[in-house]
């Protein structure tokens, strides 16, 4: 099995898709404690990455909609 890509290198869509897979695996259950914790930690990191991407997009949109704010 290959190592997953570092979370901080994932595009939004990749992080979102992997997060969905993590949630599905955790909901399905049947995992050991260590594996469940590792998946949960990965899921938390993926969720944070998605949030960072969305916040960056929001900042760019706000800057595009309010170009005069940059002049202050």
């Amino acid at each position: 099995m290959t190592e997953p890509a570092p979370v901080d290198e994932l595009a939004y869509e990749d992080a979102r898709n992997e997060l969905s897979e993590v949630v599905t695996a955790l909901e399905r259950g049947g995992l050991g404690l260590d594996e469940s914790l590792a998946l949960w930690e990965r899921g938390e990191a993926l969720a944070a990455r998605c949030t960072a991407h969305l916040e960056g997009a929001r900042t760019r949109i706000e800057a595009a909609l309010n170009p005069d704010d940059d002049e202050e």
Side-chain angles (χ1 to χ4, degrees), residues 14-68:
D14 296 330
R16 182 201 60 217
N17 291 342
E18 186 178 341
L19 178 57
S20 178
E21 292 171 8
V22 166
V23 169
T24 298
L26 289 171
E27 288 178 340
R28 190 177 321 118
L31 304 171
L33 178 60
D34 289 338
E35 189 175 3
S36 293
L37 285 173
L39 272 177
W40 180 79
E41 290 169 344
R42 177 83 176 173
E44 287 290 321
L46 291 164
R49 180 68 173 161
C50 289
T51 299
H53 274 295
L54 293 172
E55 288 173 356
R58 178 181 295 122
T59 299
R60 289 175 60 194
I61 290 168
E62 288 173 354
L65 293 175
N66 302 304
D68 296 336

